[in-house]
Amino acid sequence: HTHANLKGRNLIISIFLNVVITIAQVIGGLVSGSLSLLSDALHNFSDVISLIVSYVATRLAQKKASEDKTFGYKRAEILAAFINAATLIIVAIILIK
């Protein structure tokens, strides 16, 4: 038997759930005055951005090779990983300050 490619669907579900968690943490952080919850909300927001970048890269990587793009778009996933790592480093620096 074969398995359907669920990468895109799972990423969409993860994006939705992380947005809900981020909104709940922002509301909870503002109501309780918790800087810890607000910091975690910022971290979860960076996760949402990373998941969106990953989703776009996954969609691009599925494109077939063409005459001018002989390798196709497989490198999009590598670039997405680089962007995600850079985002986490930037958020860490912001939180340290």
Side-chain angles (χ1 to χ4, degrees), residues 4-78:
N5 185 3
L6 298 176
K7 252 185 181 177
R9 182 172 170 240
N10 289 343
L11 282 171
I12 293 292
I13 292 169
S14 297
I15 290 168
F16 174 74
L17 291 175
N18 269 302
V19 167
V20 170
I21 291 169
T22 301
I23 292 170
Q25 286 181 325
V26 168
I27 292 169
L30 292 174
V31 168
S32 67
S34 172
L35 184 59
S36 181
L37 266 177
L38 291 174
S39 295
D40 198 44
L42 180 61
H43 173 252
N44 279 337
F45 183 69
S46 74
D47 288 345
V48 170
I49 293 170
S50 296
L51 286 169
I52 291 170
V53 169
S54 297
Y55 177 75
V56 170
T58 299
R59 296 294 301 228
L60 281 174
Q62 292 173 349
K63 284 187 174 185
K64 300 288 182 201
S66 63
E67 286 186 28
D68 59 333
K69 305 236 184 335
T70 56
F71 191 70
Y73 292 86
K74 297 291 184 191
R75 291 185 182 141
E77 291 177 329
I78 296 168

